[in-house]
Every structure is written in structure tokens, then in C-alpha cells.
Amino acid sequence: MGRYAADWPGPKTTAAGTEESYGRIMRLHILPQLGGKTISQVSPADVEELYAYSRQQGAALNTIDCRRISLSGMFSGIGPP
């Protein structure tokens, strides 16, 4: 997952500020929890654990939603193998 996330969202698919924000969210909040797994190994339960961990750490609901949007965007951009 870490290798895929490093190349996501890809060239010229988003504004520079958005791309920077997605990269920061991935690097700081998503990859530390899920980066050791391959894309196919990430389960819905893993994602729910990520959100639960964020809540336990005191993240605001808006912050968690930003993480959800970033992760969802990455997964929706994955094509067939």
C-alpha cells in the first residue's frame, strides 16, 4: 500500500494544494496504520480500526472525514489488476 500511496493521486489529477494535503494525510495518518499491508489485504475492519484510532486520539469528526475522503479517493482510483 505504501508504494501505491506514494504515487497517488498521480500526475495532474488534482490541484497542487489538494495533492499536498492528501500526501500529508497519507504519510502522517493512514500509512502508519495500514502501510504494512498490500492494497488487497486492507479490509473494511482495518479501515474502521483506523477511524476508531483517530477518534481515540481526539481527532475532530471533520479531520476523520478528511482522512476518509483521502483513503476513499485512493481506493476508488485503483483499477483492475
Side-chain angles (χ1 to χ4, degrees):
M1 182 160 158
R3 281 185 285 184
Y4 182 83
D7 293 333
W8 180 80
K12 303 291 182 194
T13 57
T14 59
T18 302
E19 186 173 336
E20 182 180 319
S21 178
Y22 284 169
R24 185 174 50 254
I25 289 169
M26 288 300 220
R27 187 177 64 256
L28 297 176
H29 304 290
I30 295 174
L31 291 177
Q33 297 292 319
L34 302 177
K37 296 179 178 253
T38 65
I39 294 288
S40 63
Q41 290 174 325
V42 177
S43 70
D46 293 326
V47 174
E48 287 303 318
E49 286 178 27
L50 172 70
Y51 300 149
Y53 178 76
S54 294
R55 286 189 298 273
Q56 289 171 352
Q57 296 299 307
L61 292 178
N62 187 49
T63 300
I64 295 169
D65 196 44
C66 289
R67 294 172 190 173
R68 180 194 60 78
I69 291 167
S70 297
L71 189 59
S72 176
M74 187 186 75
F75 277 109
S76 67
I78 297 172

